[in-house]
């Protein structure tokens, strides 16, 4: 099954008979380094609903937000900002090993953090539609020299996994790597952690999804029968982390599940509105602002709310999900390589504010996964 033919949420077809894509089956790996993802407007959107108050509420929420000055760390050596009305946002999941994430992420409480999945969110001019490009964590890339937000410079490295950029130099090195990979300037950066993701889903009252096949993954602790479920935070976290027991056990297959869940989550957030209780709105805003780390331009409630207001017109039906074009590495089927000519079609489309062409993902590796669709 090619990426362009991967059914989206709401369209039956992501089931146990789905194709594996090009390349051989990849060997399952440990779940210790699993991460999660969430779209930019999911966290920011609940801030709009509950975070525009005054006085204590404003200052409380404002104090929750963590931000990093990526612009200062990266300096002037970046792709040119394109002023065509579009925006590009890099969204990462974080599996920090410290604090409440220790139990969720596994491993030791050593304070380290990893980012295993990244999404480049391109919001088109007019802010009525978006394209989201998932970057597989197992992609072997050449990481450029980068300076982190503490001022430490890290030398360039060749043939390393994409998520090594985050573990090496955090947000700044990840943005630098994405901009080097794509040639596109990232206007904003948002990061969400394990514990925040789980609590956000619980505060939303769960997210309805329909699985088209049974899921039983002992490593992510997720067990679901085929059918419709309202996933709580723990189940949702298990879903976006699962790769064993669903399809070929690959990270590419897991991305298919993640993309479907993100769309379901977008729809669920839109159901939260004026009929919600003030306490629920506050709890959502409190959780969202605690969960996210942003670039310094979005590091306040007002800025995050203004940003989200510009995105609220985008529905899941006008959001195209694709995976960065890759092929399996012939030397190691647990890794993938950028399919450069096809990936360039994606980056050219985003740079020119155009839809991603179907030819960009045709014939690339996609993995295999049983699907999750919205009811």
């Amino acid at each position: 099954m090619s990426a362009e033919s991967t059914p989206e949420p709401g369209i039956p077809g992501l089931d146990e008979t789905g194709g594996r894509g090009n390349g051989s089956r990849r060997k399952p790996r440990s779940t210790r380094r699993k991460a999660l993802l969430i779209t930019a407007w999911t966290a920011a959107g609940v801030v709009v609903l509950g975070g525009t108050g005054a006085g204590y509420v404003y200052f409380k929420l404002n104090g929750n937000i963590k931000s990093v000055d990526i612009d200062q760390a990266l300096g002037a050596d970046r792709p040119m900002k394109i002023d065509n009305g579009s925006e590009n946002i890099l969204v990462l999941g974080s599996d920090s090993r410290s604090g409440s994430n220790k139990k969720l992420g596994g491993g030791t409480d050593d304070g380290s953090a990893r980012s295993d999945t990244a999404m480049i969110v391109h919001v088109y001019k007019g802010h009525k539609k978006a394209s989201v490009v998932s970057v597989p964590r197992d992609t072997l890339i050449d990481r450029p020299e980068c300076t982190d937000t503490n001022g430490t410079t890290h030398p360039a490295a060749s043939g390393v996994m994409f998520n090594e950029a985050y573990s090496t130099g955090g947000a700044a090195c990840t943005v630098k790597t994405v901009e080097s990979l794509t040639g596109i300037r990232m206007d904003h950066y948002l990061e969400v952690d394990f514990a925040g993701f789980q609590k956000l889903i619980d505060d939303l009252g769960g997210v309805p999804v329909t699985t088209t096949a049974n899921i039983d993954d002992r490593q992510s602790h997720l067990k679901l029968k085929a059918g419709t479920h309202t996933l709580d935070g723990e189940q949702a976290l298990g879903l976006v982390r699962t790769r064993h027991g669903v399809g070929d056990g690959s990270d590419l297959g897991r991305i298919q599940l993640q993309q479907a869940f993100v769309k379901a989550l977008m729809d669920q957030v839109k159901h939260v509105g004026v009929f919600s209780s003030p306490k629920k709105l506050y709890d959502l805003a409190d959780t969202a602002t605690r969960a996210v780390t942003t670039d310094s331009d979005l590091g306040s409630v007002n800025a995050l709310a203004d940003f989200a207001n510009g995105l609220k017109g985008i529905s899941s039906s006008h959001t195209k999900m694709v995976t960065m074009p890759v092929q399996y590495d012939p030397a190691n089927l647990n890794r993938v390589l950028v399919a450069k000519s096809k990936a360039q079609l994606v980056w050219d489309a985003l740079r020119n504010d155009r839809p991603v062409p179907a030819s960009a993902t045709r014939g690339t590796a996609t993995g295999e996964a049983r699907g999750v669709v919205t009811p």
Side-chain angles (χ1 to χ4, degrees):
M1 185 193 307
S2 67
E4 66 165 340
S5 64
T6 300
E8 296 182 345
I11 304 176
L14 278 176
D15 57 26
E16 61 270 35
T17 63
R20 182 177 299 165
N22 294 343
S24 303
R25 177 187 175 114
R26 303 169 70 213
K27 298 177 182 178
R29 297 175 56 203
S30 166
T31 62
R32 178 177 177 182
R33 296 186 178 182
K34 300 302 167 49
L36 57 116
L37 55 83
I38 192 170
T39 56
W41 50 84
T42 300
V46 296
V47 176
V48 170
L49 295 169
T52 54
Y56 169 77
V57 170
Y58 172 83
F59 287 108
K60 174 70 163 57
L61 297 176
N62 212 52
N64 287 345
I65 301 174
K66 302 175 291 294
S67 64
V68 291
D69 193 344
I70 292 174
D71 287 341
Q72 182 177 357
L74 297 186
D77 185 19
R78 304 179 65 185
M80 181 182 300
K81 184 176 178 62
I82 299 176
D83 188 16
N84 60 8
S86 66
E87 283 189 298
N88 296 292
I89 307 108
L90 177 61
V91 184
L92 294 182
S94 169
D95 65 342
S96 168
R97 297 302 191 238
S98 61
S100 56
N101 279 335
K102 178 185 176 184
K103 182 175 74 172
L104 301 177
T108 59
D109 190 3
D110 59 7
S112 65
R114 301 174 179 87
S115 176
D116 297 328
T117 307
M119 301 179 84
I120 299 168
V121 181
H122 179 82
V123 180
Y124 291 91
K125 178 181 179 180
H127 289 207
K128 298 297 183 185
K129 59 182 181 177
S131 286
V132 180
V133 184
S134 295
V135 181
R137 69 169 196 182
D138 294 342
T139 309
L140 296 179
I141 53 112
D142 293 333
R143 178 179 57 74
E145 177 183 283
C146 59
T147 301
D148 62 31
T149 53
N150 294 320
T152 302
T153 298
H154 303 272
S158 298
V160 296
M161 284 175 59
F162 170 79
N163 68 339
E164 186 263 358
Y166 186 89
S167 59
T168 296
C173 282
T174 306
V175 172
K176 181 75 171 181
T177 299
V178 168
E179 291 185 345
S180 174
L181 186 67
T182 66
I184 299 172
R185 187 185 182 104
M186 295 295 109
D187 299 300
H188 293 297
Y189 169 87
L190 285 101
E191 178 184 331
V192 179
D193 66 18
F194 272 145
F197 176 88
Q198 179 167 319
K199 191 171 188 307
L200 180 63
I201 301 303
D202 285 334
D203 286 351
L204 281 168
V207 175
V209 299
T210 297
T211 61
T212 57
N214 297 338
I215 296 177
D216 188 358
D217 187 345
R218 295 179 182 178
Q219 297 195 48
S220 68
H221 309 295
L222 180 67
K223 187 172 184 178
L224 295 173
K225 293 289 188 182
T228 300
H229 311 270
T230 297
L231 303 186
D232 61 21
E234 183 177 4
Q235 291 171 316
L237 181 59
L239 179 67
V240 298
R241 296 175 64 203
T242 192
R243 66 193 277 178
H244 301 287
V246 285
D248 64 358
S250 73
D251 189 48
L252 295 176
R254 182 179 58 160
I255 285 175
Q256 293 180 29
L257 298 183
Q258 292 170 335
Q259 291 173 342
F261 182 79
V262 164
K263 285 198 169 188
L265 182 53
M266 288 173 65
D267 290 337
Q268 184 68 0
V269 168
K270 287 185 176 295
H271 293 155
V272 180
V274 295
F275 296 110
S276 299
S277 71
K279 182 181 185 305
K280 180 174 182 178
L281 291 177
Y282 173 78
D283 287 345
L284 282 167
D286 185 48
T287 297
T289 50
R290 287 179 183 275
V292 297
T293 298
T294 73
D295 64 90
S296 53
D297 287 345
L298 296 180
S300 71
V301 170
N302 284 344
L304 200 55
D306 287 345
F307 171 70
N309 270 324
L311 301 175
K312 65 183 181 182
I314 302 174
S315 66
S316 63
S317 62
H318 291 103
T319 302
K320 180 177 179 60
M321 299 275 188
V322 299
T323 301
M324 181 180 74
V326 293
Q327 298 290 357
Y328 291 119
D329 180 5
N332 183 354
L333 295 180
N334 286 324
R335 301 289 183 265
V336 293
L337 305 172
V338 179
K340 293 184 178 179
S341 61
K342 288 183 175 292
Q344 194 59 50
L345 295 176
V346 176
W347 313 141
D348 288 344
L350 301 189
R351 188 179 299 106
N352 294 299
D353 203 37
R354 295 176 180 169
V356 175
S359 59
T361 53
R362 186 178 296 121
T364 57
T366 63
E368 177 189 348
R370 295 174 175 85
V372 178
V373 297
T374 55

